[in-house]
Amino acid sequence: MLKFSVPLIASTLLFSILILITPASFLIASLSKTYILEWVFFSSPSVPVAINLVIDPYGLIFSITVLFISANVILFTNSYMREDLYIKRFVYLVLAFVLSMNFLIFIPNLITLLIGWDGLGLVSFLLVIYYQNPKSLAAGMITALTNRVGDVFLLLSIGWALNSTHWNIIYLWNSPYSSILAITLIIAAITKRAQIPFSSWLPAAIAAPTPVSALVHSSTLVTAGIFLLFRFYPFLSQSPLFHQTLLILATLTTLMAGLRAITECDMKKIIALSTLSQLGVIIISLALGAPILAFFHLITHALFKALLFLCAGTLIHLHHHSQDLRFIGNLSLQSPSITSALLIANIALCGAPFIAGFYSKDIILEFSLFYPSNAFFIILFFFATGLTASYTARFLLSVIWSPSCSLPLHPTNDKDTYCTVPTALLSLGAIIAGSLLNWALVSPTLEFFLPTHLKLLTIFVTLVGFRFSWLYSSNTSSSSAWLISATTANYASCFMWFLTPLSSQNLLKHPFTLGHLFSKSLDNGWEEILGGQGVLIASSKASSALQLTQKNLTTTHLTMGILIIPLIFLFL
C-alpha cells in the first residue's frame, strides 16, 4: 500500500492551481480591466444575500505571489518537519491560511471581507502556538490580542460606513463620517502590518515553525493590512491627515526596527525585524502618494523574504536547532547552495543593482527625494536604509565567513530535493521578479530626474552601512563602540523603544497589584464581613448565646428574674 505525503500533495495542488490561473491572470493584467462577479445565494423582496468578487490585475498578481510562496513553503515543510507527528494538521492550517488570504484579496465588501480578515487572525494564532510551550503560547496571545484590536476597529468601520448605504470598497464616497471611517480603517490596518505602537507582536511570532514565519512575515498576515490600505487608497487619500500620519508612523517604525536589529543575536528575530523595516518602506511609499510603488515593493519583498526564512530554517537544522548568530558560521564550505540563496536574499534586501529589491526599493528612495516632503523624515528614512545595510552585513559576516562555534559535525541539506528546489525557485523569483514587474507596473516615462549626487545617495548610504558593520564586527576596531556603550540607548533598542514590555507583563503589573489589593480588602475583606458570610457568622454566635439562656438551670432563672424585675417596676 502506497503511503502519500500530505505536504507533497498540498504543494502539488497549489502548484497546479498556480499553473492554471497564471495565463488567465496575465491576460486580464494585459487588458488592464477590472471585473466584478456577484454570486447570489438567494434573493428576497427586501434583502438579497450575495457575495461579490473583484478580479483585477493587482489582486491576481498578489494571489499568484501568495500561491507561489505557499507552494514552495509547503514543499520545504516536507523536509523541515518530516519527523513531526502532527504534520497533517500543520499543512491543513497552512492551506486554511492561504484560503483566508485569497478571500481577503478578492472580496471587495467590508462585511464579507471579515471571512478572510478573521480567518487570518484565527489561523495565525493556531500556527504560532503550534509548538505547545509557554513561549509559543505567550507569543500567540500577543499576536491574537493585537490583531483583535484591528478586528474591533474594522467592525467599527463597518458601522460608520452604514451612512453610504453599502459596504463596497470600490464605491465608497465622502460623507460626514468619512474622517472617522478613515481613522478606524488606518488603525485596523496598522495592527496587521505591525506599525508603531503595535510592533511587538511581529518579532514574538517567530516562536512559530520557520515555514509559518516564511508566510506570516512575507506574503500573508503582515501584508494584509497593507493590501487593505491599497484597496482603500482612493478613499483614504482624501482624508486630510492620512499621508502625514502614515509618514510619521512608517518612518519611526523603520528606524526602530533598524536600531533593534543591529543589536540582536537571534537569527529569526533579525529577519523579522527586517520585515518590520521593509513594511515601513512600503507604507512610506503610500504616504508619499505612490500606491503602485508600494504594491511593487510588496511583491518583491514577499519573494526574497520568504527565501530568507527558508534559508534560516535550513541553518537551524544544520546547527542543531540553534538560532543564535554567535554559534553559527563557516557556512560557505558546508552548504554552497544555501549560501548562494542566502546571499541573493540579503543583497535583494539591501537593494543591490539588478536584483528584485533594487527595482522597487531604489525607486521608492528616489521618489522620496523627488516628492516635496519634510526633510527631517527623509533624513531618518535614509538613516534607516543605512541601518538595513548594516544589520544585513553583520548577518552575512556572522553566518557565512565567521568561524563556527557549534559542534563540528553538521548534516548538510544540499542533496535534499525538498530543500533545494524551493530555495532555487524563490531565488529565481528574487532575481527576475523585479525587472518583470518593473515593465508591467512602472511606466518608463515616470522616471524621476534628480541630480547625480542624489541619484548616488542610496548607494552611498548602503556602502556606509556596510562599512559601519565591518568596523563594528572587527576585533581591532573601537570606532563604533560608543554606540553600544550608552546603556539607556542600548536598553531602549533591545526592547523596541519599550514597546515589548508595554505589550506584555509590565503593562499588567500595576492593574494586577490593584486587583489583588481590592480582592483582599473587598472580596475577601469587608464584603465577607458585611455580606452573607458575615451575617451567617453573626447569626450563629447570636443563636449560640440564646441557646445558653434556654437551658433549665437555676442560675439561668435567677438571672432572668433579676433582669425582669427592674423592667416591671419601670413600666408600672
Side-chain angles (χ1 to χ4, degrees), residues 98-170:
V98 176
L99 183 64
S100 300
M101 190 65 203
N102 280 277
F103 278 139
L104 183 68
I105 293 171
F106 291 113
I107 294 179
N109 190 290
L110 263 178
I111 293 181
T112 49
L113 186 74
L114 289 172
I115 299 173
W117 187 270
D118 280 339
L120 285 175
L122 176 62
V123 180
S124 64
F125 171 72
L126 296 176
L127 286 172
V128 171
I129 65 170
Y130 181 78
Y131 292 140
Q132 298 178 7
N133 53 56
K135 180 182 177 181
S136 298
L137 181 60
M141 290 303 297
I142 292 176
T143 303
L145 293 176
T146 305
N147 285 279
R148 205 59 191 163
V149 174
D151 299 342
V152 170
F153 279 95
L154 189 64
L155 290 171
L156 289 174
S157 67
I158 291 173
W160 292 118
L162 185 62
N163 297 281
S164 300
T165 67
H166 70 89
W167 290 276
N168 198 312
I169 295 174
I170 302 174

Side-chain angles (χ1 to χ4, degrees), residues 365 381-387 389-390 456-467:
L365 289 166
F381 185 28
F382 274 85
F383 179 68
T385 303
L387 292 176
S390 181
L456 298 176
L457 182 60
T458 303
I459 298 177
F460 174 75
V461 168
T462 303
L463 293 177
V464 169
F466 271 107
R467 179 60 178 168

Side-chain angles (χ1 to χ4, degrees), residues 52-81:
N52 297 325
L53 298 177
V54 56
I55 310 297
D56 65 326
Y58 301 109
L60 289 172
I61 292 174
F62 194 32
S63 179
I64 289 174
T65 306
V66 171
L67 289 174
F68 178 69
I69 293 174
S70 303
N72 284 288
V73 166
I74 295 178
L75 186 61
F76 177 78
T77 302
N78 199 33
S79 171
Y80 185 79
M81 304 180 67

